[in-house]
């Protein structure tokens, strides 16, 4: 089993993680970009002014959007 982990800048306790489903991971990243995140090589940078709650909501929405694709 392989996994990818992408931390959220400024929120070290939050990270986007994928195990074996790299297409789902890529679709989730695309949805986060649409939500205003900047995806860098080693981290996802949320839009300026984001709170922990808004980031969790964005991650949840992005994952649900990616699963529906």
């Amino acid at each position: 089993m392989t996994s990818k982990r992408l931390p959220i800048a400024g929120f070290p306790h939050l990270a986007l993680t994928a195990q074996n489903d790299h297409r789902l991971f890529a679709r989730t990243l695309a949805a986060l970009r649409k939500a205003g995140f900047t995806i860098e090589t080693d981290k996802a940078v949320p839009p300026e002014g984001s709170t922990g709650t808004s980031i969790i909501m964005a991650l949840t929405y992005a994952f649900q959007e990616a699963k529906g694709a």
Side-chain angles (χ1 to χ4, degrees):
M1 177 174 3
T2 62
S3 66
K4 290 185 175 186
R5 183 177 188 281
L6 188 66
I8 308 298
F11 296 85
H13 57 285
L14 292 175
L16 181 62
T17 305
Q19 293 183 334
N20 290 332
D21 194 340
H22 300 293
R23 285 183 281 185
L24 178 61
F25 188 75
R27 289 192 306 265
T28 303
L29 290 180
L32 286 174
R33 283 187 192 98
K34 286 196 301 188
F37 281 68
T38 301
I39 308 302
E40 298 180 357
T41 304
D42 60 343
K43 65 185 174 242
V45 181
E48 192 170 325
S50 295
T51 64
T53 301
S54 66
I55 291 172
I56 290 170
M57 289 172 58
L59 289 170
T60 301
Y61 179 78
F63 179 70
Q64 292 301 321
E65 184 177 318
K67 280 184 68 172

